[in-house]
Amino acid sequence: MSAIFAATVFVVAYALIASDRVNTTLVALAGATAMFFLPVINSDEVFYSRDTGIDWDVIFLLLGMMIIVSVVRQTGVFEYVAIVSAKRAKGSPLRIMILLVLVTAFGSAFLDNVTTVLLIAPVTLLVCDRLAVSPAPFLIVEAFAANIGGAATLVGDPTTIIIGTGARLSFISFLANMGPAVLIVLAALVALLPRMFPGAFTVEPERVADVMSLDEREAIQNHRLLIQCGIVLAAVFAGFVLHKEIHMEPSLVAMAGAGILIVISGLTRDFYLSSVEWETLLFFAGLFIMVGALVKTGVIDQLAHSASHVTGGNAFLTTMLILGVSFLFSGFVNNVPYAAAMTPIVGQFASSIHDHTSHGVLWWALVLGTVLGGNLTAVGASANIVVIGIAQRTGNPISFWEFTRKGAIVTATSLGLSVAYLWLRYFVLA
């Protein structure tokens, strides 16, 4: 009965979020509250369980990076990068979008994708303001690029960290197997841009002339703070890459960096909290609780186990099933808790595969499906939620369906390319 309650609450909450008629944070918190009162889940399972509770690593990673971005913003470096990017692209919105997509994807491969969009979004808003074009298409595409790039490495996405740790995958092995697939999907995304946003790249000539006449050096307002931020950011990024070796989770690295910058900058809280998206953090908490209830009541586990009987231990069918189910579920259920639920299940799948040489491909199917599938809807991935929160806060709202219409195109393309990649590399050419 509790499984029915949990599934019903989640479906109703999801429908309300998709309707765009009710505040999404309010819906997520109301859904989480309903899970308490039914009761489906208790406080210990919400606040202390790694399987069913709030993922505090994600929450504090977001909070730490939002604070760091708030401090960095005071230096004027975002304005500097915005002007340089616009001038390099000769004021062409399409070329600027391609440049930002490539930077976002590359950054997401070595940072986590949420950190990358937090750093790129302010630049995007400034460039679009200078050119008097809508930033919504740029922000949407950057979320796509962040998720695609995040699939390339072990530290690129919260889900790759979860899957990589559970499967005991090495950084080099991960990059060697996922890197080519990411490059293929990224190239397809760039090719799709003009068709996805027709009419979004028109800009007035005087706006272009205005941008080209700007002196980027005048944008830097605090050189001393810029140097301090550069040193701290370099240390934070190194901490992200070496977090296993130094025994510190990325969330702790981000919070430590935020704390150091607050102290050395001397800024008041009005400044160092200026970029913190409190509503986004609360939305994440509510979503984690609702999905945690699905995990606790066995809804996700039962669905996955039911699907496993279809393949009969065939390596190719199991690979395609994991890929397809992951693309679908990650589009509708935030992919961080989905990855946590599916990792042990895929481990069980691997032990039942008759073709033992194909064990590894199951993990790559899970990574591609979980990370790239997150592009389908506005709540599919952490980067999507952050981007939409930033857009809402800056007066450039992106509706659930606006994001999903574009996300469906990118996801369908990614799925087709992922099927071809896995089939060719691990079954035809192996």
Side-chain angles (χ1 to χ4, degrees):
M1 184 62 70
S2 59
I4 296 174
F5 285 152
T8 301
V9 170
F10 181 84
V11 170
V12 171
Y14 199 93
L16 290 173
I17 290 171
S19 72
D20 283 321
R21 295 181 178 179
V22 187
N23 181 278
T24 55
T25 302
L26 178 62
V27 172
L29 293 178
T33 303
M35 296 297 186
F36 280 113
F37 284 104
L38 284 174
V40 176
I41 198 166
N42 60 45
S43 60
D44 284 344
E45 291 162 335
V46 166
F47 294 111
Y48 304 111
S49 172
R50 293 189 66 88
D51 296 325
T52 62
I54 297 172
D55 193 327
W56 294 112
D57 283 329
V58 172
I59 297 293
F60 283 102
L61 172 63
L62 285 171
L63 178 59
M65 290 311 301
M66 286 174 179
I67 293 173
I68 289 174
V69 169
S70 295
V71 177
V72 173
R73 176 173 285 167
Q74 310 308 315
T75 67
V77 71
F78 291 135
E79 289 88 342
Y80 176 90
V81 174
I83 294 170
V84 170
S85 300
K87 292 174 74 172
R88 287 284 179 89
K90 306 296 184 183
S92 166
L94 178 58
R95 286 198 290 265
I96 291 171
M97 181 180 279
I98 293 173
L99 176 62
L100 292 175
V101 161
L102 296 176
V103 170
T104 302
F106 180 80
S108 295
F110 297 98
L111 311 176
D112 68 281
N113 52 9
V114 171
T115 298
T116 305
V117 296
L118 283 170
L119 292 172
I120 295 295
V123 176
T124 303
L125 292 168
L126 287 164
V127 170
C128 292
D129 181 63
R130 289 287 189 179
L131 294 175
V133 297
S134 172
F138 292 78
L139 293 172
I140 291 172
V141 168
E142 284 162 13
F144 296 154
N147 293 326
I148 292 169
T153 70
L154 200 60
V155 296
D157 187 277
T159 59
T160 61
I161 296 173
I162 292 170
I163 296 169
T165 301
R168 298 182 180 179
L169 303 170
S170 71
F171 188 94
I172 299 300
S173 172
F174 203 105
L175 180 61
N177 285 275
M178 288 294 92
V182 166
L183 290 175
I184 293 168
V185 175
L186 184 62
L189 174 64
V190 171
L192 285 171
L193 294 181
R195 297 172 179 82
M196 287 174 61
F197 301 100
F201 306 113
T202 303
V203 62
E204 297 177 0
E206 54 268 25
R207 285 282 184 174
V208 175
D210 178 54
V211 168
M212 296 303 293
S213 67
L214 294 173
D215 183 355
E216 59 271 19
R217 292 170 296 182
E218 295 178 358
I220 302 299
Q221 301 169 9
N222 190 327
H223 288 83
R224 181 172 177 271
L225 181 59
L226 178 61
I227 294 172
Q228 293 172 334
C229 288
I231 294 171
V232 172
L233 275 173
V236 168
F237 296 160
F240 286 160
V241 175
L242 302 172
H243 72 97
K244 285 187 178 180
E245 287 73 11
I246 62 178
H247 306 292
M248 287 179 68
E249 291 299 319
S251 55
L252 184 56
V253 173
M255 289 302 296
I260 292 170
L261 276 183
I262 289 172
V263 171
I264 65 177
S265 69
L267 296 172
T268 63
R269 66 180 183 180
D270 289 339
F271 290 99
Y272 68 73
L273 295 179
S274 61
S275 294
V276 175
E277 306 284 341
W278 298 110
E279 281 207 12
T280 300
L281 298 178
L282 288 173
F283 178 81
F284 268 111
L287 192 63
F288 278 131
I289 293 170
M290 288 193 292
V291 175
L294 296 180
V295 173
K296 185 218 172 179
T297 56
V299 173
I300 292 178
D301 190 53
Q302 183 60 44
L303 289 171
H305 275 91
S306 298
S308 69
H309 295 299
V310 177
T311 66
N314 179 277
F316 179 74
L317 289 179
T318 303
T319 299
M320 293 301 112
L321 179 68
I322 291 173
L323 181 69
V325 170
S326 297
F327 259 94
L328 180 63
F329 270 75
S330 293
F332 294 97
V333 180
N334 185 270
N335 58 11
V336 173
Y338 173 80
M342 279 299 294
T343 297
I345 295 172
V346 171
Q348 293 175 10
F349 281 178
S351 64
S352 67
I353 291 296
H354 304 316
D355 180 4
H356 295 289
T357 61
S358 299
H359 282 183
V361 70
L362 301 186
W363 295 114
W364 311 132
L366 180 61
V367 171
L368 287 173
T370 303
V371 183
L372 301 185
N375 279 331
L376 180 58
T377 71
V379 298
S382 304
N384 307 357
I385 297 170
V386 171
V387 161
I388 288 175
I390 293 172
Q392 181 72 34
R393 185 167 166 272
T394 56
N396 303 283
I398 299 170
S399 73
F400 180 93
W401 290 111
E402 180 183 2
F403 189 99
T404 303
R405 282 195 299 271
K406 307 302 181 185
I409 298 171
V410 175
T411 303
T413 303
S414 300
L415 175 59
L417 292 173
S418 296
V419 168
Y421 176 77
L422 294 174
W423 176 63
L424 284 172
R425 177 163 182 175
Y426 301 100
F427 294 97
V428 175
L429 303 177

